[in-house]
Amino acid sequence: ILLGSLTRQPAARLCALPLLGEEERNRVVIKWNKTAAELPFDSCIPDVITARIAGKLEHKAVVCGETHLTYRGLQTQAVRLAQRICKLTQGRNVRVALCAERSIQSLVGLLGILKAGAAYLPLDPNAPEHRQRLILEDAGASVLVVQRHLRSQLPFVNERVIELEDTGEAGGDLVAPASLPTLELDHLAYVIYTSGSTGRPKGVEVTHRALLHSLVARLTYYAEPVDRCLLTFPFAFDGSITGIFWSLLHGGTLVVPSEDSYRDPRQLSALISRHQISHVVWVPSLYDVVLRDSPPASLASLRSRIGAYMLKAV
């Protein structure tokens, strides 16, 4: 009898049942969505970084293996690269492809492209050729910035190619950026492509305004400055954005593991101990392995608040 009475009820009534109580709905839909905020900056990300590191030019900006680059060196090489890009393309919001292995040069490339007023388009040097070709053609990349040894393996038919090795050694005073274009918040900062696991990879365009809103939210929530950040995400993966700009905006040091070490939990814990890493942003599986297999003393420099929050949040 009960089943019969249920089957006679219109199906629409089940759809009308509320999933949340009034109090919970107000919290989830209204209270938690009150995220509007004014940007504390009126400049785009390259200028914001320049202003915030003004007193830290001799501080290490990026470390990879036994080599490092100070903020003075990073700014100098990035401006040199930006000036070369500007000679090849005068338009802003153009896409400039960047292909580099985990290295100091990859950070120079990223920052140089942004300073040129272009949007950086990261390419994974280990990706199949058909994916590289699809991304380059779909995004309409106008210039390719690449490490010399990777040039021959990329299907880029345009002649406008800049090799990162040509930025030269940094030294002396900062290169004058007077010839670089003025950026606006609604100009593109980067274009990043999805994995394509559900079909054709899709490009996601992110403006300077959107990037800054994301970074300001992070700086507000995590008030403790980033001292040293270990970057394990590839530059072609959007997870790298957090570590890169989070560190640069604090004038911290970005430690980049080599291609051989970023997947090895033991080497990662050794890097944390050696460089006294304060911040990491990892996927849950990597957190689990490193926390389980590493001596507690090797992770003592990590800020527990960041790690604990990330473990709960992801």
Side-chain angles (χ1 to χ4, degrees):
I1 295 175
L2 180 59
L3 286 174
S5 63
L6 285 174
T7 56
R8 288 195 297 270
Q9 299 299 318
R13 292 186 181 180
L14 295 176
C15 298
L17 289 174
L19 297 177
L20 303 174
E22 188 60 32
E23 181 180 349
E24 188 176 7
R25 184 180 186 280
N26 182 70
R27 181 171 65 253
V28 173
V29 177
I30 299 176
K31 183 178 179 181
W32 288 357
N33 274 312
K34 291 182 178 179
T35 58
E38 293 293 329
L39 280 175
F41 313 116
D42 57 5
S43 302
C44 293
I45 192 70
D47 295 329
V48 174
I49 291 173
T50 298
R52 291 174 69 96
I53 65 168
K56 298 185 175 182
L57 292 178
E58 306 311 325
H59 186 75
K60 290 181 181 179
V62 56
V63 174
C64 184
E66 299 302 319
T67 61
H68 75 272
L69 202 60
T70 64
Y71 273 102
R72 182 183 298 277
L74 176 61
Q75 290 283 79
T76 298
Q77 292 197 30
V79 170
R80 287 175 179 163
L81 174 60
Q83 290 171 334
R84 293 198 61 188
I85 293 172
C86 288
K87 289 180 180 179
L88 296 178
T89 173
Q90 300 302 316
R92 288 173 291 189
N93 271 351
V94 297
R95 281 82 164 169
V96 173
L98 171 64
C99 187
E101 294 176 341
R102 298 165 186 274
S103 62
I104 290 175
Q105 290 176 328
S106 56
L107 195 62
V108 171
L110 185 156
L111 195 56
I113 292 170
L114 290 177
K115 284 180 176 291
Y120 77 90
L121 174 71
L123 299 175
D124 183 352
N126 298 313
E129 181 181 335
H130 67 83
R131 176 178 170 86
Q132 308 281 37
R133 186 182 302 277
L134 184 152
I135 291 175
L136 287 166
E137 293 176 356
D138 187 69
S142 57
V143 178
L144 171 64
V145 175
V146 63
Q147 285 177 307
R148 186 169 294 140
H149 68 280
L150 298 175
R151 171 68 185 94
S152 60
Q153 69 186 51
L154 290 173
F156 188 72
V157 296
N158 195 316
E159 294 181 356
R160 291 180 289 188
V161 177
I162 299 174
E163 295 180 348
L164 281 164
E165 288 79 1
D166 293 339
T167 57
E169 294 296 325
D173 296 332
L174 292 175
V175 177
S179 60
L180 300 182
T182 300
L183 288 170
E184 296 180 7
L185 290 174
D186 290 324
H187 287 158
L188 287 181
Y190 62 93
V191 181
I192 205 158
Y193 273 72
T194 62
S195 65
S197 57
T198 58
R200 182 184 175 91
K202 300 174 182 63
V204 179
E205 299 179 339
V206 179
T207 65
H208 283 270
R209 187 185 304 277
L211 174 58
L212 280 171
H213 270 295
S214 172
L215 294 170
V216 167
R218 189 167 292 110
L219 292 172
T220 301
Y221 189 90
Y222 299 113
E224 195 168 15
V226 176
D227 188 17
R228 297 178 181 86
C229 181
L230 182 64
L231 183 71
T232 54
F233 286 120
F235 279 77
F237 182 63
D238 61 356
S240 66
I241 305 301
T242 298
I244 293 169
F245 293 111
W246 199 12
S247 180
L248 294 182
L249 285 174
H250 278 291
T253 300
L254 193 67
V255 178
V256 182
S258 67
E259 291 288 337
D260 298 328
S261 63
Y262 80 98
R263 286 194 178 98
D264 188 335
R266 292 172 297 180
Q267 293 195 51
L268 290 179
S269 63
L271 284 172
I272 291 171
S273 178
R274 176 186 175 187
H275 294 284
Q276 291 296 285
I277 299 296
S278 61
H279 292 66
V280 294
V281 182
W282 290 342
V283 294
S285 57
L286 185 55
Y287 273 116
D288 182 58
V289 173
V290 174
L291 290 174
R292 184 188 64 211
D293 297 343
S294 301
S298 68
L299 307 178
S301 61
L302 290 175
R303 309 285 166 80
S304 59
R305 179 187 176 209
I306 300 296
Y309 174 78
M310 292 301 295
L311 280 171
K312 290 189 295 182
V314 292

